[in-house]
Amino acid sequence: MSEDQRQLYYHDPFHDDQLQANHETLFSFFGPNPTLTDDSSPPNHQRVHNYMGLTRLFSTGSSDYNTPATNFGYSSSSPPLLFALEVDQKQPLAADIGNLFGVTAETTPVTPNSSSALSTSTDQAADDEHDQLQQDKKENQLKDLVENGGDSSKKVLIKQKKKDEKKKREPRFAFMTKSEIDHLEDGYRWRKYGQKAVKNSPYPRSYYRCTTQKCTVKKRVERSYQDPSTVITTYEGKHNHHLPSTLRGNVGGGMLYPPSMMAAQGRLMTEAAGGSSFPQHEFLGQIPHGFYNFGGGHGGGNGGAVSHYQQSTLTPIQQLQIPDYGLLQDMVPSMTFKQEPEFNQQA
DNA sequence: CGTTTTTGACCAGCGC
DNA sequence: GCGCTGGTCAAAAACG
C-alpha cells in the first residue's frame, strides 16, 4: 500500500454534519489515485475508461435481487455504514447500492469501538439515544392523550400514529464517489423529484426516486463541499424489482469497472462496520482479462465488455467477513478488500 | 406525446 | 411561537 493511498483513506470529508452520517451507512472503496487530498493534480494520466456499474459490483450476479442485502447481513441490528468510492470518472457510474443492501429494517447503534474518520459511531450512539428520548416523549404524549380521552384527542392520536408511521425511515447507505458527474448511473431508473440547497455547501442536493412502480427506493446525491470532486450518494430503501431491462445509455445490469476501481485494491473503510477484520486480499488479480479494452468513455457501446466481464471467472473470496455485516465477497465477488492496518488499532 | 427535470411552494421536525 | 432546515409535492418546462 502506498502512502498516497493511506492519505486517501484518512481524508475525512465527512467530519462535518453534511452527510448526517450518524443516520447513514458509508462505504469506502478508494482507489489508487488518491486525488482526494490533492485535487490540484490534473487528470493527465490515462483514464482508460470512466464508466462503471456497481450493480454487478454489489450483486452476486444471481437473479436474486435481494441476495446482496441478505449476504451483507444487514438487519435491524446493523449499524449504519458509509462507503466511499473513487471512480475518477466523467461518464456515469453504476451503483446499485439500494439493491445492494436491500434493507428494510431500522438502524441501531453502532459498535462503540468503531474507529472512524467519519465520526459516525459515537454520533450514531448519541443519535440513537436521542431517538429513544424522542420516542419516550412521544409515548408519553400518546399516553396523555389516551388518558384524557375526547374526540379531539383521538384525532390527535391518529395523527400522531400516522406521523410515527411516516417517520419510520428506511435505512440509508451512503457512498462517496470521486466523480465529475453528480448523478451516477447505477442500472436503475431514477426520477428527480427535488433539489435543495445544502446548508454550508455551495452544492445542491438532488433527490431521486426509483421510477419502477411500487418501488419506494430513493436516493440523494450531493457533492461534498469539502472535496468538490467527491459525490455523496445516499440510498434509502430496497428495490423490489430487478434491474430494468432497458436503460438510458446503459446496459441493463451491466457492470463496468473503471480502471481506478479495478486497480484499486479495493478497500473498505470499515470503521462503521466495526472496522477490523478484513483479511488481506489482493484485488488486482481479479480484473477480468481485457477488461480495459472496452469502449467506455465513448458513450455507450460497451456491451462487449459486459459480455466479456460476465464470462470472466472471478476468484471467490470466502474469507472476507465484515463484523455485523456478513460476507462482503458475496456481494462483491469481483473484488477483494485490503484492510487498512490502522483500522485494526482501535483508538 | 410520454417521460424527465426544474423549481417554487409546502410541510414537518427541531432548536431556541 | 418562530425561524431554520430537510424533504416532498406538483405544475410547468424541457427533452427525446
Side-chain angles (χ1 to χ4, degrees), chain A residues 260-275:
Chain A
S260 63
M261 182 92 176
M262 298 306 291
Q265 302 166 338
R267 300 181 300 180
L268 180 63
M269 204 182 268
T270 63
E271 54 274 337

Side-chain angles (χ1 to χ4, degrees), chain A residues 142-176:
Chain A
L142 286 173
K143 196 178 175 183
D144 289 343
L145 285 170
V146 171
E147 284 172 352
N148 292 334
D151 289 343
S152 57
S153 295
K154 278 182 185 173
K155 283 179 185 174
V156 177
L157 184 62
I158 291 170
K159 197 176 178 182
Q160 188 70 46
K161 272 189 177 178
K162 269 190 177 179
K163 264 188 188 175
D164 289 346
E165 287 172 6
K166 196 174 182 180
K167 202 190 172 185
K168 271 197 175 179
R169 249 192 199 157
E170 300 271 359
R172 295 178 182 174
F173 300 93
F175 267 71
M176 280 173 63

